[in-house]
Amino acid sequence: LIHNITMRNKHQDCLSSNTLTEYPNDRILILNSVGTVDSEQPVKVKILLFLFILVFSSCKYENKKQEALNTFFIEDFQNKVLGVDELASGMKLLPLKLGTDQLIGKIKDVCFIGDTIYLLDEMTASIYSFDMKDGKCIGRICKKGNGPNEYVNPVALSADSGKLYVLDMPTSRIIEFDKSLNPIRDLKFNFPSSDFIAINTGFLLYNLAPNSELNKYVYLNNKGECITSFVPANKNHSPNNNSFGNHGKPFVKDENDKVFVSESYSNIIYKWEKENFIPIYRIDFGKLNVPLNVNKNRTDLFEEPYAFHSNSFVFSEILVPSFFYKSHRYYGFIPKSGDSPKFGIVKDRQYDIPFFPQWQNGNQLIAISRYEAVKNYFEDYKQVKEDSIAECFEPEHPVLVIYNLKSI
């Protein structure tokens, strides 16, 4: 046991039976277990020891917090296939109807206000609104520019009960619109962000450049003022750029408007509660976990024999993580009640529609598809039932695929 004793007085008395020699300039004596002096160290050692104890204690605290999480083990999933009908109580395909002069190139993001769906087209930087009942286009804007309430490169959408918000990454701004796509105001912040979500008291943003002063997730109030940030980045941090190529959106809301966040390559899922991100779930792949000594920035995990998390959808009764193993995308359907989970590659055995939901709307999973991927459904649909949606369908228009998960 090492005792650190600071000499504050040049004429200090003996401790027990040991005699301490005077040391000027506030130096530290390090004694061994029998009380004899081992060496003399300058005051800076005291600071280093304090920092070491602080970091060690913080690590122990974080470990204890993670040990207390609800841990879901994902094992024995390799090469298993699940049918969509095993997981979803229903699937609806909604063609999005555009005017003759309108064309959507690549859908970057999607969000909802009531029965209206908003789409961000990456190719034209346009924002569209559609009626979810019949797929008709309600409105379209393209506010590209450098003026007030204009954007340069919009990368994400979010909404509350009555407002639409657009995140412009190059200018670090959030632009607010009403439901009819009329601009209202914009909010400026001072860090790069690729995704966000609107909450009652402001916004939560994903910080692409976390540092010692600003962590990965940033909380702004409704005035755009930075309140605080959460979850420090480790030294091997690799930002999720919200590309949707292999990963999904980090922020989701469940059917009760509870907000959750999960980052690609991280096995921890956080819940926004009492103006703080609380770690609530942990995903564990057992022996297939990525080892801690693997640098994820320099390793192509798709070529390695490890399973790793992509993104998660969170419902009140079920957790739906998406993860990769040997370049294949798997899904888990995990009841929070503790009932038996299901894992596997999800396939549509009837129409062969790719299962790739990228968004969550309440208790639904949402995907976007093209005609070539869903034509079997529409051919069958026309044979079974004459319907205006099927008759008016245009092959070049995108199709909204809506999955209702089965009740637990």
Side-chain angles (χ1 to χ4, degrees), residues 111-112 157-166 174 176 195-205 219-222 249 251-253 257-259 272:
C111 72
F112 304 83
L157 303 178
S158 189
D160 54 25
S161 58
K163 301 290 193 304
L164 173 72
Y165 304 96
V166 179
I174 295 171
E176 180 181 323
D195 197 25
F196 76 130
I197 192 167
I199 58 176
N200 291 335
T201 56
F203 306 91
L204 301 172
L205 294 90
Y219 171 33
L220 304 182
N221 65 16
N222 283 314
K249 289 178 71 68
F251 298 105
V252 295
K253 282 184 182 179
D257 276 344
K258 303 294 183 184
V259 174
W272 179 250

PDB file of all heavy atoms in Angstrom, residues 111-112 157-166 174 176 195-205 219-222 249 251-253 257-259 272:
ATOM      1  N   CYS A 111     -39.871  11.722 -43.526  1.00  0.00           N
ATOM      2  CA  CYS A 111     -40.486  11.913 -42.208  1.00  0.00           C
ATOM      3  C   CYS A 111     -41.981  12.138 -42.396  1.00  0.00           C
ATOM      4  O   CYS A 111     -42.471  12.259 -43.529  1.00  0.00           O
ATOM      5  CB  CYS A 111     -39.821  13.046 -41.428  1.00  0.00           C
ATOM      6  SG  CYS A 111     -40.179  14.684 -42.044  1.00  0.00           S
ATOM      7  N   PHE A 112     -42.713  12.217 -41.282  1.00  0.00           N
ATOM      8  CA  PHE A 112     -44.166  12.215 -41.334  1.00  0.00           C
ATOM      9  C   PHE A 112     -44.742  13.265 -40.389  1.00  0.00           C
ATOM     10  O   PHE A 112     -44.227  13.498 -39.296  1.00  0.00           O
ATOM     11  CB  PHE A 112     -44.716  10.840 -40.928  1.00  0.00           C
ATOM     12  CG  PHE A 112     -44.176   9.699 -41.747  1.00  0.00           C
ATOM     13  CD1 PHE A 112     -42.945   9.124 -41.452  1.00  0.00           C
ATOM     14  CD2 PHE A 112     -44.890   9.204 -42.826  1.00  0.00           C
ATOM     15  CE1 PHE A 112     -42.431   8.084 -42.199  1.00  0.00           C
ATOM     16  CE2 PHE A 112     -44.387   8.164 -43.580  1.00  0.00           C
ATOM     17  CZ  PHE A 112     -43.158   7.601 -43.273  1.00  0.00           C
ATOM     18  N   LEU A 157     -34.289  15.191 -42.652  1.00  0.00           N
ATOM     19  CA  LEU A 157     -35.569  15.787 -42.304  1.00  0.00           C
ATOM     20  C   LEU A 157     -35.982  15.318 -40.916  1.00  0.00           C
ATOM     21  O   LEU A 157     -35.625  14.222 -40.482  1.00  0.00           O
ATOM     22  CB  LEU A 157     -36.661  15.370 -43.293  1.00  0.00           C
ATOM     23  CG  LEU A 157     -36.470  15.666 -44.780  1.00  0.00           C
ATOM     24  CD1 LEU A 157     -37.655  15.110 -45.561  1.00  0.00           C
ATOM     25  CD2 LEU A 157     -36.318  17.160 -45.024  1.00  0.00           C
ATOM     26  N   SER A 158     -36.755  16.157 -40.239  1.00  0.00           N
ATOM     27  CA  SER A 158     -37.404  15.759 -39.000  1.00  0.00           C
ATOM     28  C   SER A 158     -38.672  16.576 -38.860  1.00  0.00           C
ATOM     29  O   SER A 158     -38.863  17.579 -39.571  1.00  0.00           O
ATOM     30  CB  SER A 158     -36.475  15.952 -37.794  1.00  0.00           C
ATOM     31  OG  SER A 158     -37.043  15.380 -36.627  1.00  0.00           O
ATOM     32  N   ALA A 159     -39.558  16.173 -37.953  1.00  0.00           N
ATOM     33  CA  ALA A 159     -40.831  16.871 -37.823  1.00  0.00           C
ATOM     34  C   ALA A 159     -41.367  16.704 -36.413  1.00  0.00           C
ATOM     35  O   ALA A 159     -41.035  15.748 -35.698  1.00  0.00           O
ATOM     36  CB  ALA A 159     -41.839  16.331 -38.835  1.00  0.00           C
ATOM     37  N   ASP A 160     -42.200  17.665 -36.008  1.00  0.00           N
ATOM     38  CA  ASP A 160     -42.996  17.501 -34.803  1.00  0.00           C
ATOM     39  C   ASP A 160     -44.462  17.495 -35.230  1.00  0.00           C
ATOM     40  O   ASP A 160     -44.768  17.211 -36.396  1.00  0.00           O
ATOM     41  CB  ASP A 160     -42.676  18.576 -33.760  1.00  0.00           C
ATOM     42  CG  ASP A 160     -42.815  19.994 -34.308  1.00  0.00           C
ATOM     43  OD1 ASP A 160     -43.578  20.177 -35.282  1.00  0.00           O
ATOM     44  OD2 ASP A 160     -42.170  20.907 -33.771  1.00  0.00           O
ATOM     45  N   SER A 161     -45.371  17.842 -34.358  1.00  0.00           N
ATOM     46  CA  SER A 161     -46.787  17.717 -34.683  1.00  0.00           C
ATOM     47  C   SER A 161     -47.251  18.679 -35.775  1.00  0.00           C
ATOM     48  O   SER A 161     -48.275  18.436 -36.415  1.00  0.00           O
ATOM     49  CB  SER A 161     -47.624  17.943 -33.423  1.00  0.00           C
ATOM     50  OG  SER A 161     -47.356  19.227 -32.874  1.00  0.00           O
ATOM     51  N   GLY A 162     -46.511  19.762 -35.993  1.00  0.00           N
ATOM     52  CA  GLY A 162     -46.986  20.714 -36.981  1.00  0.00           C
ATOM     53  C   GLY A 162     -45.931  21.393 -37.814  1.00  0.00           C
ATOM     54  O   GLY A 162     -46.246  22.219 -38.666  1.00  0.00           O
ATOM     55  N   LYS A 163     -44.658  21.075 -37.611  1.00  0.00           N
ATOM     56  CA  LYS A 163     -43.561  21.740 -38.323  1.00  0.00           C
ATOM     57  C   LYS A 163     -42.626  20.702 -38.944  1.00  0.00           C
ATOM     58  O   LYS A 163     -42.416  19.610 -38.401  1.00  0.00           O
ATOM     59  CB  LYS A 163     -42.751  22.627 -37.376  1.00  0.00           C
ATOM     60  CG  LYS A 163     -43.554  23.734 -36.694  1.00  0.00           C
ATOM     61  CD  LYS A 163     -43.962  24.818 -37.669  1.00  0.00           C
ATOM     62  CE  LYS A 163     -44.481  26.058 -36.944  1.00  0.00           C
ATOM     63  NZ  LYS A 163     -45.597  25.796 -36.030  1.00  0.00           N
ATOM     64  N   LEU A 164     -42.057  21.090 -40.090  1.00  0.00           N
ATOM     65  CA  LEU A 164     -41.040  20.288 -40.760  1.00  0.00           C
ATOM     66  C   LEU A 164     -39.700  20.999 -40.601  1.00  0.00           C
ATOM     67  O   LEU A 164     -39.621  22.228 -40.720  1.00  0.00           O
ATOM     68  CB  LEU A 164     -41.369  20.130 -42.245  1.00  0.00           C
ATOM     69  CG  LEU A 164     -40.302  19.439 -43.109  1.00  0.00           C
ATOM     70  CD1 LEU A 164     -40.258  17.951 -42.803  1.00  0.00           C
ATOM     71  CD2 LEU A 164     -40.576  19.679 -44.597  1.00  0.00           C
ATOM     72  N   TYR A 165     -38.650  20.225 -40.343  1.00  0.00           N
ATOM     73  CA  TYR A 165     -37.313  20.796 -40.157  1.00  0.00           C
ATOM     74  C   TYR A 165     -36.351  20.136 -41.141  1.00  0.00           C
ATOM     75  O   TYR A 165     -36.406  18.917 -41.370  1.00  0.00           O
ATOM     76  CB  TYR A 165     -36.833  20.589 -38.730  1.00  0.00           C
ATOM     77  CG  TYR A 165     -37.779  21.162 -37.701  1.00  0.00           C
ATOM     78  CD1 TYR A 165     -38.733  20.359 -37.088  1.00  0.00           C
ATOM     79  CD2 TYR A 165     -37.725  22.507 -37.357  1.00  0.00           C
ATOM     80  CE1 TYR A 165     -39.615  20.881 -36.154  1.00  0.00           C
ATOM     81  CE2 TYR A 165     -38.598  23.046 -36.420  1.00  0.00           C
ATOM     82  CZ  TYR A 165     -39.541  22.226 -35.830  1.00  0.00           C
ATOM     83  OH  TYR A 165     -40.413  22.753 -34.905  1.00  0.00           O
ATOM     84  N   VAL A 166     -35.470  20.958 -41.714  1.00  0.00           N
ATOM     85  CA  VAL A 166     -34.499  20.488 -42.694  1.00  0.00           C
ATOM     86  C   VAL A 166     -33.101  20.817 -42.190  1.00  0.00           C
ATOM     87  O   VAL A 166     -32.834  21.966 -41.794  1.00  0.00           O
ATOM     88  CB  VAL A 166     -34.736  21.157 -44.069  1.00  0.00           C
ATOM     89  CG1 VAL A 166     -33.699  20.677 -45.078  1.00  0.00           C
ATOM     90  CG2 VAL A 166     -36.146  20.874 -44.567  1.00  0.00           C
ATOM     91  N   ILE A 174     -30.522  24.600 -39.191  1.00  0.00           N
ATOM     92  CA  ILE A 174     -31.812  23.916 -39.240  1.00  0.00           C
ATOM     93  C   ILE A 174     -32.836  24.929 -39.750  1.00  0.00           C
ATOM     94  O   ILE A 174     -32.978  26.019 -39.185  1.00  0.00           O
ATOM     95  CB  ILE A 174     -32.227  23.400 -37.854  1.00  0.00           C
ATOM     96  CG1 ILE A 174     -31.257  22.315 -37.372  1.00  0.00           C
ATOM     97  CG2 ILE A 174     -33.658  22.851 -37.894  1.00  0.00           C
ATOM     98  CD1 ILE A 174     -31.479  21.906 -35.931  1.00  0.00           C
ATOM     99  N   GLU A 176     -36.766  25.769 -40.585  1.00  0.00           N
ATOM    100  CA  GLU A 176     -38.109  25.377 -40.164  1.00  0.00           C
ATOM    101  C   GLU A 176     -39.138  25.765 -41.219  1.00  0.00           C
ATOM    102  O   GLU A 176     -39.127  26.885 -41.737  1.00  0.00           O
ATOM    103  CB  GLU A 176     -38.437  26.050 -38.828  1.00  0.00           C
ATOM    104  CG  GLU A 176     -39.813  25.722 -38.274  1.00  0.00           C
ATOM    105  CD  GLU A 176     -40.087  26.437 -36.970  1.00  0.00           C
ATOM    106  OE1 GLU A 176     -39.142  26.593 -36.159  1.00  0.00           O
ATOM    107  OE2 GLU A 176     -41.232  26.860 -36.757  1.00  0.00           O
ATOM    108  N   ASP A 195     -27.189  14.329 -39.062  1.00  0.00           N
ATOM    109  CA  ASP A 195     -28.545  13.859 -38.772  1.00  0.00           C
ATOM    110  C   ASP A 195     -29.029  14.514 -37.489  1.00  0.00           C
ATOM    111  O   ASP A 195     -28.220  14.973 -36.660  1.00  0.00           O
ATOM    112  CB  ASP A 195     -28.595  12.340 -38.648  1.00  0.00           C
ATOM    113  CG  ASP A 195     -30.024  11.815 -38.776  1.00  0.00           C
ATOM    114  OD1 ASP A 195     -30.848  12.502 -39.409  1.00  0.00           O
ATOM    115  OD2 ASP A 195     -30.322  10.739 -38.231  1.00  0.00           O
ATOM    116  N   PHE A 196     -30.360  14.535 -37.316  1.00  0.00           N
ATOM    117  CA  PHE A 196     -30.943  15.181 -36.147  1.00  0.00           C
ATOM    118  C   PHE A 196     -32.353  14.680 -35.942  1.00  0.00           C
ATOM    119  O   PHE A 196     -32.914  13.958 -36.779  1.00  0.00           O
ATOM    120  CB  PHE A 196     -30.923  16.694 -36.309  1.00  0.00           C
ATOM    121  CG  PHE A 196     -31.975  17.243 -37.252  1.00  0.00           C
ATOM    122  CD1 PHE A 196     -32.786  18.294 -36.873  1.00  0.00           C
ATOM    123  CD2 PHE A 196     -32.151  16.724 -38.535  1.00  0.00           C
ATOM    124  CE1 PHE A 196     -33.752  18.821 -37.723  1.00  0.00           C
ATOM    125  CE2 PHE A 196     -33.106  17.243 -39.407  1.00  0.00           C
ATOM    126  CZ  PHE A 196     -33.915  18.301 -38.995  1.00  0.00           C
ATOM    127  N   ILE A 197     -32.952  15.072 -34.817  1.00  0.00           N
ATOM    128  CA  ILE A 197     -34.355  14.770 -34.562  1.00  0.00           C
ATOM    129  C   ILE A 197     -34.947  15.894 -33.731  1.00  0.00           C
ATOM    130  O   ILE A 197     -34.284  16.451 -32.846  1.00  0.00           O
ATOM    131  CB  ILE A 197     -34.516  13.402 -33.852  1.00  0.00           C
ATOM    132  CG1 ILE A 197     -35.978  12.960 -33.859  1.00  0.00           C
ATOM    133  CG2 ILE A 197     -33.967  13.440 -32.432  1.00  0.00           C
ATOM    134  CD1 ILE A 197     -36.162  11.503 -33.462  1.00  0.00           C
ATOM    135  N   ALA A 198     -36.175  16.279 -34.065  1.00  0.00           N
ATOM    136  CA  ALA A 198     -36.863  17.334 -33.329  1.00  0.00           C
ATOM    137  C   ALA A 198     -37.533  16.735 -32.091  1.00  0.00           C
ATOM    138  O   ALA A 198     -38.155  15.669 -32.158  1.00  0.00           O
ATOM    139  CB  ALA A 198     -37.913  17.998 -34.218  1.00  0.00           C
ATOM    140  N   ILE A 199     -37.382  17.412 -30.951  1.00  0.00           N
ATOM    141  CA  ILE A 199     -38.047  17.022 -29.710  1.00  0.00           C
ATOM    142  C   ILE A 199     -38.843  18.216 -29.197  1.00  0.00           C
ATOM    143  O   ILE A 199     -38.755  19.320 -29.752  1.00  0.00           O
ATOM    144  CB  ILE A 199     -37.035  16.532 -28.655  1.00  0.00           C
ATOM    145  CG1 ILE A 199     -35.993  17.630 -28.363  1.00  0.00           C
ATOM    146  CG2 ILE A 199     -36.336  15.255 -29.132  1.00  0.00           C
ATOM    147  CD1 ILE A 199     -35.009  17.264 -27.264  1.00  0.00           C
ATOM    148  N   ASN A 200     -39.605  18.025 -28.132  1.00  0.00           N
ATOM    149  CA  ASN A 200     -40.483  19.094 -27.648  1.00  0.00           C
ATOM    150  C   ASN A 200     -39.726  20.353 -27.249  1.00  0.00           C
ATOM    151  O   ASN A 200     -40.211  21.470 -27.437  1.00  0.00           O
ATOM    152  CB  ASN A 200     -41.299  18.600 -26.447  1.00  0.00           C
ATOM    153  CG  ASN A 200     -42.318  17.554 -26.839  1.00  0.00           C
ATOM    154  OD1 ASN A 200     -42.747  17.514 -27.998  1.00  0.00           O
ATOM    155  ND2 ASN A 200     -42.711  16.702 -25.909  1.00  0.00           N
ATOM    156  N   THR A 201     -38.532  20.189 -26.712  1.00  0.00           N
ATOM    157  CA  THR A 201     -37.782  21.330 -26.179  1.00  0.00           C
ATOM    158  C   THR A 201     -36.654  21.792 -27.088  1.00  0.00           C
ATOM    159  O   THR A 201     -35.874  22.657 -26.699  1.00  0.00           O
ATOM    160  CB  THR A 201     -37.203  20.976 -24.798  1.00  0.00           C
ATOM    161  OG1 THR A 201     -36.400  19.785 -24.918  1.00  0.00           O
ATOM    162  CG2 THR A 201     -38.310  20.737 -23.790  1.00  0.00           C
ATOM    163  N   GLY A 202     -36.551  21.225 -28.287  1.00  0.00           N
ATOM    164  CA  GLY A 202     -35.475  21.634 -29.185  1.00  0.00           C
ATOM    165  C   GLY A 202     -35.102  20.558 -30.168  1.00  0.00           C
ATOM    166  O   GLY A 202     -35.964  19.937 -30.802  1.00  0.00           O
ATOM    167  N   PHE A 203     -33.788  20.271 -30.251  1.00  0.00           N
ATOM    168  CA  PHE A 203     -33.275  19.327 -31.242  1.00  0.00           C
ATOM    169  C   PHE A 203     -32.111  18.529 -30.662  1.00  0.00           C
ATOM    170  O   PHE A 203     -31.343  19.036 -29.845  1.00  0.00           O
ATOM    171  CB  PHE A 203     -32.793  20.068 -32.501  1.00  0.00           C
ATOM    172  CG  PHE A 203     -33.817  20.979 -33.100  1.00  0.00           C
ATOM    173  CD1 PHE A 203     -33.875  22.312 -32.720  1.00  0.00           C
ATOM    174  CD2 PHE A 203     -34.732  20.496 -34.026  1.00  0.00           C
ATOM    175  CE1 PHE A 203     -34.829  23.163 -33.263  1.00  0.00           C
ATOM    176  CE2 PHE A 203     -35.688  21.340 -34.576  1.00  0.00           C
ATOM    177  CZ  PHE A 203     -35.735  22.675 -34.192  1.00  0.00           C
ATOM    178  N   LEU A 204     -31.987  17.291 -31.115  1.00  0.00           N
ATOM    179  CA  LEU A 204     -30.819  16.467 -30.829  1.00  0.00           C
ATOM    180  C   LEU A 204     -30.096  16.240 -32.148  1.00  0.00           C
ATOM    181  O   LEU A 204     -30.711  15.844 -33.144  1.00  0.00           O
ATOM    182  CB  LEU A 204     -31.237  15.136 -30.210  1.00  0.00           C
ATOM    183  CG  LEU A 204     -32.029  15.228 -28.908  1.00  0.00           C
ATOM    184  CD1 LEU A 204     -32.559  13.864 -28.500  1.00  0.00           C
ATOM    185  CD2 LEU A 204     -31.185  15.823 -27.794  1.00  0.00           C
ATOM    186  N   LEU A 205     -28.784  16.501 -32.167  1.00  0.00           N
ATOM    187  CA  LEU A 205     -28.011  16.408 -33.401  1.00  0.00           C
ATOM    188  C   LEU A 205     -26.839  15.455 -33.240  1.00  0.00           C
ATOM    189  O   LEU A 205     -26.259  15.341 -32.152  1.00  0.00           O
ATOM    190  CB  LEU A 205     -27.473  17.780 -33.825  1.00  0.00           C
ATOM    191  CG  LEU A 205     -28.499  18.831 -34.240  1.00  0.00           C
ATOM    192  CD1 LEU A 205     -28.958  19.646 -33.050  1.00  0.00           C
ATOM    193  CD2 LEU A 205     -27.936  19.743 -35.320  1.00  0.00           C
ATOM    194  N   TYR A 219     -27.438  18.634 -27.714  1.00  0.00           N
ATOM    195  CA  TYR A 219     -28.794  19.094 -27.420  1.00  0.00           C
ATOM    196  C   TYR A 219     -28.869  20.607 -27.597  1.00  0.00           C
ATOM    197  O   TYR A 219     -28.186  21.353 -26.912  1.00  0.00           O
ATOM    198  CB  TYR A 219     -29.153  18.688 -25.983  1.00  0.00           C
ATOM    199  CG  TYR A 219     -30.437  19.263 -25.446  1.00  0.00           C
ATOM    200  CD1 TYR A 219     -31.538  19.507 -26.262  1.00  0.00           C
ATOM    201  CD2 TYR A 219     -30.558  19.540 -24.081  1.00  0.00           C
ATOM    202  CE1 TYR A 219     -32.710  20.018 -25.748  1.00  0.00           C
ATOM    203  CE2 TYR A 219     -31.729  20.052 -23.551  1.00  0.00           C
ATOM    204  CZ  TYR A 219     -32.802  20.296 -24.392  1.00  0.00           C
ATOM    205  OH  TYR A 219     -33.971  20.815 -23.877  1.00  0.00           O
ATOM    206  N   LEU A 220     -29.686  21.044 -28.571  1.00  0.00           N
ATOM    207  CA  LEU A 220     -29.963  22.461 -28.791  1.00  0.00           C
ATOM    208  C   LEU A 220     -31.381  22.769 -28.343  1.00  0.00           C
ATOM    209  O   LEU A 220     -32.295  21.961 -28.562  1.00  0.00           O
ATOM    210  CB  LEU A 220     -29.831  22.829 -30.275  1.00  0.00           C
ATOM    211  CG  LEU A 220     -28.523  22.530 -31.009  1.00  0.00           C
ATOM    212  CD1 LEU A 220     -28.623  23.040 -32.452  1.00  0.00           C
ATOM    213  CD2 LEU A 220     -27.332  23.146 -30.314  1.00  0.00           C
ATOM    214  N   ASN A 221     -31.592  23.941 -27.746  1.00  0.00           N
ATOM    215  CA  ASN A 221     -32.956  24.334 -27.408  1.00  0.00           C
ATOM    216  C   ASN A 221     -33.654  24.921 -28.637  1.00  0.00           C
ATOM    217  O   ASN A 221     -33.079  24.989 -29.729  1.00  0.00           O
ATOM    218  CB  ASN A 221     -32.984  25.302 -26.215  1.00  0.00           C
ATOM    219  CG  ASN A 221     -32.313  26.639 -26.525  1.00  0.00           C
ATOM    220  OD1 ASN A 221     -32.067  26.992 -27.687  1.00  0.00           O
ATOM    221  ND2 ASN A 221     -32.005  27.389 -25.488  1.00  0.00           N
ATOM    222  N   ASN A 222     -34.893  25.375 -28.471  1.00  0.00           N
ATOM    223  CA  ASN A 222     -35.678  25.866 -29.607  1.00  0.00           C
ATOM    224  C   ASN A 222     -35.140  27.160 -30.190  1.00  0.00           C
ATOM    225  O   ASN A 222     -35.563  27.575 -31.278  1.00  0.00           O
ATOM    226  CB  ASN A 222     -37.137  26.045 -29.190  1.00  0.00           C
ATOM    227  CG  ASN A 222     -37.880  24.723 -29.120  1.00  0.00           C
ATOM    228  OD1 ASN A 222     -37.771  23.909 -30.032  1.00  0.00           O
ATOM    229  ND2 ASN A 222     -38.617  24.495 -28.051  1.00  0.00           N
ATOM    230  N   LYS A 249     -30.619   5.514 -39.972  1.00  0.00           N
ATOM    231  CA  LYS A 249     -30.637   6.723 -39.164  1.00  0.00           C
ATOM    232  C   LYS A 249     -30.363   6.383 -37.702  1.00  0.00           C
ATOM    233  O   LYS A 249     -30.886   5.396 -37.172  1.00  0.00           O
ATOM    234  CB  LYS A 249     -31.993   7.411 -39.273  1.00  0.00           C
ATOM    235  CG  LYS A 249     -32.243   8.051 -40.632  1.00  0.00           C
ATOM    236  CD  LYS A 249     -33.616   8.671 -40.706  1.00  0.00           C
ATOM    237  CE  LYS A 249     -33.742   9.914 -39.854  1.00  0.00           C
ATOM    238  NZ  LYS A 249     -32.943  11.041 -40.337  1.00  0.00           N
ATOM    239  N   PHE A 251     -31.252   8.245 -35.033  1.00  0.00           N
ATOM    240  CA  PHE A 251     -32.361   8.646 -34.159  1.00  0.00           C
ATOM    241  C   PHE A 251     -33.673   8.020 -34.620  1.00  0.00           C
ATOM    242  O   PHE A 251     -33.991   8.011 -35.804  1.00  0.00           O
ATOM    243  CB  PHE A 251     -32.528  10.169 -34.177  1.00  0.00           C
ATOM    244  CG  PHE A 251     -31.333  10.932 -33.667  1.00  0.00           C
ATOM    245  CD1 PHE A 251     -30.489  11.580 -34.554  1.00  0.00           C
ATOM    246  CD2 PHE A 251     -31.050  11.002 -32.311  1.00  0.00           C
ATOM    247  CE1 PHE A 251     -29.392  12.295 -34.099  1.00  0.00           C
ATOM    248  CE2 PHE A 251     -29.955  11.703 -31.852  1.00  0.00           C
ATOM    249  CZ  PHE A 251     -29.122  12.354 -32.740  1.00  0.00           C
ATOM    250  N   VAL A 252     -34.461   7.505 -33.664  1.00  0.00           N
ATOM    251  CA  VAL A 252     -35.800   6.997 -33.957  1.00  0.00           C
ATOM    252  C   VAL A 252     -36.741   7.396 -32.827  1.00  0.00           C
ATOM    253  O   VAL A 252     -36.315   7.663 -31.696  1.00  0.00           O
ATOM    254  CB  VAL A 252     -35.828   5.451 -34.123  1.00  0.00           C
ATOM    255  CG1 VAL A 252     -35.030   5.009 -35.329  1.00  0.00           C
ATOM    256  CG2 VAL A 252     -35.347   4.749 -32.852  1.00  0.00           C
ATOM    257  N   LYS A 253     -38.054   7.439 -33.166  1.00  0.00           N
ATOM    258  CA  LYS A 253     -39.111   7.631 -32.177  1.00  0.00           C
ATOM    259  C   LYS A 253     -40.028   6.423 -32.204  1.00  0.00           C
ATOM    260  O   LYS A 253     -40.387   5.936 -33.288  1.00  0.00           O
ATOM    261  CB  LYS A 253     -39.934   8.888 -32.495  1.00  0.00           C
ATOM    262  CG  LYS A 253     -39.299  10.199 -32.111  1.00  0.00           C
ATOM    263  CD  LYS A 253     -40.258  11.355 -32.399  1.00  0.00           C
ATOM    264  CE  LYS A 253     -39.608  12.690 -32.067  1.00  0.00           C
ATOM    265  NZ  LYS A 253     -40.529  13.827 -32.375  1.00  0.00           N
ATOM    266  N   ASP A 257     -43.719   8.293 -28.974  1.00  0.00           N
ATOM    267  CA  ASP A 257     -42.863   9.482 -29.155  1.00  0.00           C
ATOM    268  C   ASP A 257     -41.643   9.492 -28.236  1.00  0.00           C
ATOM    269  O   ASP A 257     -41.057  10.550 -27.999  1.00  0.00           O
ATOM    270  CB  ASP A 257     -43.657  10.777 -28.961  1.00  0.00           C
ATOM    271  CG  ASP A 257     -44.394  11.198 -30.226  1.00  0.00           C
ATOM    272  OD1 ASP A 257     -44.037  10.668 -31.303  1.00  0.00           O
ATOM    273  OD2 ASP A 257     -45.299  12.027 -30.146  1.00  0.00           O
ATOM    274  N   LYS A 258     -41.233   8.340 -27.734  1.00  0.00           N
ATOM    275  CA  LYS A 258     -39.983   8.239 -26.980  1.00  0.00           C
ATOM    276  C   LYS A 258     -38.827   8.198 -27.980  1.00  0.00           C
ATOM    277  O   LYS A 258     -38.900   7.516 -29.000  1.00  0.00           O
ATOM    278  CB  LYS A 258     -39.962   6.986 -26.107  1.00  0.00           C
ATOM    279  CG  LYS A 258     -41.126   6.889 -25.122  1.00  0.00           C
ATOM    280  CD  LYS A 258     -41.076   7.977 -24.070  1.00  0.00           C
ATOM    281  CE  LYS A 258     -42.199   7.805 -23.053  1.00  0.00           C
ATOM    282  NZ  LYS A 258     -42.212   8.917 -22.069  1.00  0.00           N
ATOM    283  N   VAL A 259     -37.753   8.925 -27.671  1.00  0.00           N
ATOM    284  CA  VAL A 259     -36.629   9.052 -28.588  1.00  0.00           C
ATOM    285  C   VAL A 259     -35.492   8.131 -28.171  1.00  0.00           C
ATOM    286  O   VAL A 259     -35.129   8.069 -26.991  1.00  0.00           O
ATOM    287  CB  VAL A 259     -36.138  10.514 -28.645  1.00  0.00           C
ATOM    288  CG1 VAL A 259     -34.877  10.632 -29.493  1.00  0.00           C
ATOM    289  CG2 VAL A 259     -37.233  11.415 -29.205  1.00  0.00           C
ATOM    290  N   TRP A 272     -33.566   8.946 -24.690  1.00  0.00           N
ATOM    291  CA  TRP A 272     -33.625  10.353 -24.263  1.00  0.00           C
ATOM    292  C   TRP A 272     -34.666  10.473 -23.156  1.00  0.00           C
ATOM    293  O   TRP A 272     -35.851  10.230 -23.360  1.00  0.00           O
ATOM    294  CB  TRP A 272     -33.999  11.247 -25.436  1.00  0.00           C
ATOM    295  CG  TRP A 272     -34.111  12.703 -25.090  1.00  0.00           C
ATOM    296  CD1 TRP A 272     -35.249  13.444 -25.033  1.00  0.00           C
ATOM    297  CD2 TRP A 272     -33.033  13.594 -24.768  1.00  0.00           C
ATOM    298  NE1 TRP A 272     -34.957  14.735 -24.700  1.00  0.00           N
ATOM    299  CE2 TRP A 272     -33.605  14.861 -24.532  1.00  0.00           C
ATOM    300  CE3 TRP A 272     -31.653  13.442 -24.663  1.00  0.00           C
ATOM    301  CZ2 TRP A 272     -32.842  15.976 -24.191  1.00  0.00           C
ATOM    302  CZ3 TRP A 272     -30.888  14.550 -24.324  1.00  0.00           C
ATOM    303  CH2 TRP A 272     -31.476  15.790 -24.095  1.00  0.00           C
TER     304      TRP A 272
END
